[in-house]
Amino acid sequence: MTWWSTLFAVSPLVVVALGALLLMLAEALGRPAPAADGAVVTDVGSGRAGELGIGSAVVLFAGGVFALSLWMVGPEALPGAEGLAPYFIVDRFSAFFGVMLCLGGGLSALLGGGYLDEHGIDRSEFFPLLLWATLGAMALAGAGDLLTLFVALETMSIGVYAMVGLRRNGRAIEAALKYFLLGGFAGALTLFGAALLYGATGHTDLAGIGASVGTIGQPGSTVPAGLVLVAMALVVSGLLFKVAAVPFHMWTPDAYEGAPTPATTFMAVAVKCAAFAILLRVLFGAFADERVASWGTGWPPVLAVLAVATMTVGNLIAGRQESVKRMLAYSSIAHAGYALLGVVAAMRSGMGQASVLFYLLAYTVSTVGAFGALILCGRRGAEAVSYEDLAGIGRRHPVVALAFSLFLVSLAGIPATAGFFGKLGVFLAAIDAELYVLAVVGLLNSFLGAYYYLRVLVYMYMREPSPNAPRAVPMRSGQVGVAIAVAALLVVWWGLFPLSIGADVTAAGSAPMAR
Amino acid sequence: MIVFGDAAEHFVLVAAALFTIGAVGFLVRRNVLVQLMSIELMLNAANLALVSYNRLHATEMTGHVFAFFVIAVAAAEASVGLAIALTFYRLRSSVYSDEADTLRH
């Protein structure tokens, strides 16, 4: 019966893959036929995006349920799961990310259904692409081998390139072009680093690489230290591109702004979380030896500098944006900085990895909600983009404004929201690792960040639109509403009862990163 | 140089040179198609490194298998990239990434 439990171990991925195949069929067969008598079809494809959006959300939530049941059973108890290592590691870490990525992807799919219908974009290939990209992200979170790492990374990225260029207008294609070129470059860096690692150590699995790196400097070791260092730098910089850390963040604002908002949501949520998952796996699976992972030598001081630069640059530039979508893009850069702080702290603190996981979870629900609320504030032909577009919405559409405020408050890290405990966890981990300066810098940065989040609230509640400006009229969409409601519920729940998942996060964060 | 071993050394040096040419080409040139070719060159440099390193670790065929996966992924990536470049050309009548400048403040 081993094959049965092996199948169960990969069931989240299998469910999403089968669902994606079915959805591709449904999408192809469901295309409206051209009118036979030459009559003009006026209502081509209306409502199709909505149905496919619900379909893909159902598939992704089903994948999430399977990941959750895998978590309940306990991946350690499955006899067949070991056989998949190192190509796919079934542990609490990958099950946790399975749930998180399915949640983020499913909510993005709901947003996509509402958004594409409202804006009359008849491009329902969006949903199969989203499912395949989520599959790549889930595989990435479980990758314990450089081969799986590269294939999963590209599966995720290629889908997202196409999602960004969904609308064939100048801005979207420009965003897709920039994202594709820099993403491809980053992928090539990672791959060449992987090839060098293979050459230096003779292993492509992270555990084997870790063991070889551990022998550096001992008598009889044949592992060349310089080559490993170059390879590590290449692999890690490729991954830092994906999490949008400074100085690899240049593509982020353009890609986020030009992409259709549901694709932006997916990029901000699933791509970033999966990239952090594999970053943790690589750093603590292959480069956890104290020769490369101590404060004196190795990656922690470099990553610490990058974390500080990332949050500071993200926050400073976000405050100067006139477009809310672009502001959220810079804010996602800043959030990558806070999460990197947790990664650095995990070097010495046992709670570091758990703090990163909780941070990503809180970030996922808050970001989905914020982009969802932004979608809801706009109408066909009148997307809400700038701060001015949001003026006065607090009085005219109080529910939308309230939801938007909740998510922004959570992103800013104000108490009684999930985002507060996310930041608190990361800072406590930094203090636990005796990185006091980093904790203080992070704290100062979150004050800086509060400024531009609260500025949106000021516009929504205290400003009136200028008399001749077009008034923002929120669209009506049950799907977007449901996605926002789920996100809001989770933000409040984890904000009031963070300890309700504290033990789970700790269990996921303390799994060994490679085997 | 003990780093690369006897047999593989020269091949890996070629791979490193190809990778550098690709990376520099990507950063210096502004023609989207040339940039795409540069990325392909970098991927192929990695392939060459993988295959030649396999001579050092000859007990298993990991490097060769890895190279096949890379070829498949590179093909998929090139097709999406060309589609994006083509659409960009249709909209702008240009293949220069300098002209992708509407998303700026």
Side-chain angles (χ1 to χ4, degrees), chain A residues 389-413:
Chain A
D389 292 341
L390 298 175
I393 237 172
R395 199 171 44 73
R396 283 179 286 127
H397 303 281
V399 179
V400 179
L402 187 69
F404 207 168
S405 313
L406 173 70
F407 298 123
L408 291 172
V409 161
S410 175
L411 284 173

Side-chain angles (χ1 to χ4, degrees), chain A residues 472-501:
Chain A
V473 184
M475 65 187 259
R476 292 185 177 281
S477 163
Q479 291 187 45
V480 179
V482 167
I484 290 180
V486 171
L489 187 72
L490 291 175
V491 165
V492 173
W493 176 259
W494 289 329
L496 293 178
F497 309 104
L499 293 180
S500 61
I501 58 159

Side-chain angles (χ1 to χ4, degrees), chain A residues 58 88 232 314 329 448:
Chain A
V58 166
F88 185 74
M232 180 172 85
L448 203 61

